[in-house]
Amino acid sequence: MYIKNKYLFFFLFFASINYSQTLSLKEAIKIGLENYGSIKAKNNYAKAAKENLGQSHRDYLPNFNLSAQQDYGTINGQNGVLYGGYNSLTASTSGPTLPQQNWNSAFGALYLVNTNWDFFTFGKTQEKINLAKVDVQKNENDLKQEQFQQEIRISSAYFNLLASQRLLISQQNNLNRTEVFKRTAVARVKNGLLAGVDSTLASAEVSRAKIALNLAKNLVKEQNNKLVDLMGVAPHDFITDTVFAKKIPKNGLFNNSIKDSLHPLLQFYRAKIDYSDQQVKLYKRFYYPTMSLFGVLQTRASGFNSNYASDLNSFNRNYWDGINPNRSNYLVGIGITWNLVTPFKMSKQVSAQRFISQGLQEEYNQVERELKSQLNLADDKIKVALDNYAEAPIQVNAANQAYLQKSTLYKNGLTTLTDLTQTLYVLNRAEIDRDIVTNNVWQSFLQKVAASGDFDLFMNEL
């Protein structure tokens, strides 16, 4: 009857949860990796870095500009000097220098094709491409380490939910036992075989067991909500796979390897260092000049005739005559641009970036030390968890035998309710320990996986 009640409660409780469903750990991880916000964000950052790499390749292409303008105005010229100034607007007019102002006006046009190509930059272009490549790697490694961390977080939350649900069953079993000896106590009190205080004490034990059960229900809900948040799904009540309560990992518990090329977090920090070092290389390239090829094809049109300087009436205000091109020029050349002050300016930026690289290296070293420490701690936890795992069944069997013995003696009036209650406490504690020790083995193993960086080590145990 006790066993039937146990499984009947388990079925009724989880069947009563709206929209409940059994969720495997693999499915929880898959859903979490697809839906979690930070992973989706970093996936977009990685895509953006790839697009920037494509842009850096295209930056090497020459510029090719087309320009056309059509104007209407006067062409009074004036002898004198002119400087356009910084961030100022200028307008120029080509015409004769007349002794006085006149307001003759006509249409004119300018058609221009301009191309220029920085064909040799002393490595600046290539270093920009290399920097974009490292940035792609950095963002991809950031995505991988975020996915790895999320796999660990989801797995841990899943085991916490499993433990809370197993604890709920134990508390229900404890409530069932208290109700049994309460009924026994009440019957014997009515028959005058026991003092009335036994009935009162039994009722108190039932109330205590109900409170513990309600707390267990709250714990289940809290752990379920944490898992829902990590999976990035709408609120939902899940039932965990109880297979993890019946077995422990077999093959990867004491694998102590940890490699720079393996752990996603170390890969990410290494990529950050590489990115900073690449920035140093790019900044140093700005010490050097840039060599360019350029070419211009220009066609002009004007409503002023060629003899306008001697005949001020020799112009035409007709629009089509003013924009019809009749003079062309071309220009091709090669040039070099070198700001000699740039090395002096950039030297401090190079020095600053080198310090950043050293700082990132120190962060890398610190993370590496922490991972090794965590790996050693996880091994110790695994050993303790395995020892407890071996002891838990012994504790439960002994506590159960003691409870059955005291329960039988109590029913026959050979012991007190206080003695029976004491064995009930021991049995309840033993069952809780049993529910937790298997879960602790998995959690300790998960800590080891988090420190080693090889999640396949964990997945192979599922």
Side-chain angles (χ1 to χ4, degrees):
M1 183 64 183
Y2 167 72
I3 296 177
K4 289 182 179 179
N5 288 339
K6 170 182 176 181
Y7 290 102
L8 178 62
F9 162 75
F10 184 77
F11 172 77
L12 292 177
F13 175 77
F14 289 112
S16 66
I17 300 177
N18 294 330
Y19 310 109
S20 63
Q21 67 182 67
T22 301
L23 178 71
S24 69
L25 179 54
K26 288 184 178 180
E27 185 180 4
I29 293 173
K30 179 177 180 296
I31 294 174
L33 292 180
E34 291 174 351
N35 295 329
Y36 199 63
S38 64
I39 291 179
K40 294 191 332 187
K42 292 188 177 183
N43 186 42
N44 285 322
Y45 299 153
K47 291 179 180 178
K50 291 180 181 178
E51 293 299 315
N52 288 333
L53 175 59
Q55 174 65 35
S56 66
H57 282 286
R58 295 182 182 184
D59 282 342
Y60 187 63
L61 298 175
N63 298 317
F64 188 79
N65 302 311
L66 298 176
S67 175
Q69 61 173 285
Q70 297 175 356
D71 313 288
Y72 182 82
T74 61
I75 60 169
N76 292 294
Q78 186 177 30
N79 294 323
V81 297
L82 175 68
Y83 173 61
Y86 182 71
N87 286 339
S88 63
L89 300 175
T90 60
S92 66
T93 299
S94 175
T97 303
L98 302 175
Q100 61 188 15
Q101 171 72 32
N102 79 72
W103 299 103
N104 295 336
S105 58
F107 286 98
L110 173 65
Y111 307 99
L112 182 68
V113 177
N114 173 43
T115 181
N116 62 82
W117 180 29
D118 295 337
F119 69 96
F120 191 70
T121 61
F122 292 88
K124 285 192 287 289
T125 300
Q126 185 58 48
E127 293 300 341
K128 287 181 180 179
I129 294 174
N130 292 339
L131 182 64
K133 289 179 179 179
V134 176
D135 188 45
V136 170
Q137 189 64 46
K138 178 173 70 73
N139 280 277
E140 288 180 346
N141 287 340
D142 190 16
L143 174 61
K144 290 178 182 178
Q145 70 88 19
E146 183 66 23
Q147 289 173 331
F148 174 76
Q149 298 290 347
Q150 187 65 8
E151 288 171 335
I152 297 296
R153 289 191 290 262
I154 291 175
S155 299
S156 180
Y158 187 92
F159 286 130
N160 287 337
L161 177 58
L162 172 62
S164 67
Q165 290 177 349
R166 301 296 296 179
L167 179 62
L168 181 64
I169 297 174
S170 294
Q171 296 297 1
Q172 178 62 44
N173 292 337
N174 185 60
L175 175 59
N176 292 341
R177 286 190 292 264
T178 61
E179 290 176 339
V180 168
F181 75 71
K182 176 186 175 182
R183 288 194 295 269
T184 301
V186 170
R188 293 179 66 81
V189 168
K190 288 182 178 180
N191 294 326
L193 300 177
L194 292 174
V197 70
D198 277 28
S199 175
T200 303
L201 290 176
S203 297
E205 287 300 320
V206 171
S207 296
R208 188 195 63 81
K210 288 181 178 179
I211 292 174
L213 179 63
N214 289 332
L215 292 175
K217 289 179 181 180
N218 285 337
L219 181 60
V220 169
K221 192 63 179 179
E222 289 175 1
Q223 298 302 328
N224 186 87
N225 286 352
K226 289 180 181 179
L227 180 59
V228 166
D229 291 340
L230 290 172
M231 291 172 60
V233 296
H236 208 97
D237 292 307
F238 295 109
I239 301 174
T240 54
D241 190 348
T242 57
V243 67
F244 297 106
K246 302 174 183 177
K247 70 172 187 176
I248 61 174
K250 297 297 182 182
N251 299 321
L253 286 175
F254 296 104
N255 187 335
N256 291 322
S257 61
I258 176 171
K259 301 177 182 177
D260 181 8
S261 60
L262 181 62
H263 200 288
L265 188 58
L266 291 181
Q267 287 184 2
F268 173 57
Y269 274 92
R270 174 53 61 189
K272 290 174 67 176
I273 296 172
D274 293 341
Y275 184 80
S276 181
D277 290 342
Q278 187 60 44
Q279 284 182 304
V280 172
K281 294 179 182 179
L282 175 60
Y283 294 156
K284 292 177 71 174
R285 291 295 176 178
F286 284 99
Y287 292 175
Y288 304 105
T290 298
M291 300 184 67
S292 304
L293 291 173
F294 53 87
V296 179
L297 174 62
Q298 175 183 283
T299 299
R300 299 188 66 178
S302 176
F304 292 93
N305 297 324
S306 59
N307 63 340
Y308 177 73
S310 58
D311 183 3
L312 298 182
N313 293 317
S314 182
F315 67 94
N316 187 347
R317 288 191 172 93
N318 184 278
Y319 171 72
W320 295 108
D321 291 340
I323 66 171
N324 185 32
N326 51 33
R327 293 291 187 274
S328 298
N329 291 290
Y330 73 88
L331 179 150
V332 293
I334 184 172
I336 183 169
T337 303
W338 192 3
N339 186 342
L340 297 179
V341 184
T342 297
F344 178 74
K345 293 180 177 179
M346 294 298 297
S347 62
K348 288 298 180 181
Q349 191 166 3
V350 170
S351 177
Q353 196 63 45
R354 282 175 175 164
F355 282 118
I356 292 175
S357 295
Q358 293 175 14
L360 291 172
Q361 182 63 53
E362 292 300 328
E363 289 184 7
Y364 176 92
N365 295 338
Q366 179 63 28
V367 171
E368 186 177 36
R369 285 191 295 267
E370 290 177 356
L371 289 174
K372 290 180 179 179
S373 176
Q374 291 172 10
L375 187 62
N376 183 67
L377 177 61
D379 283 334
D380 292 338
K381 286 187 174 182
I382 288 174
K383 293 176 182 178
V384 174
L386 289 175
D387 290 340
N388 292 338
Y389 176 77
E391 293 295 332
I394 300 174
Q395 181 186 13
V396 172
N397 290 334
N400 190 53
Q401 290 177 7
Y403 172 73
L404 291 176
Q405 181 185 38
K406 291 295 183 180
S407 178
T408 302
L409 291 174
Y410 181 74
K411 290 178 182 179
N412 292 281
L414 300 177
T415 189
T416 65
L417 182 60
T418 302
D419 291 338
L420 177 60
T421 303
Q422 186 62 38
T423 58
L424 182 65
Y425 291 154
V426 173
L427 178 56
N428 187 32
R429 186 177 64 247
E431 289 179 338
I432 292 174
D433 289 343
R434 176 200 59 197
D435 295 336
I436 293 176
V437 291
T438 305
N439 198 279
N440 284 347
V441 175
W442 282 104
Q443 291 281 22
S444 300
F445 179 51
L446 193 61
Q447 287 182 329
K448 182 183 181 66
V449 170
S452 66
D454 186 6
F455 197 72
D456 289 337
L457 191 66
F458 180 77
M459 294 299 291
N460 292 336
E461 298 287 347
L462 302 186

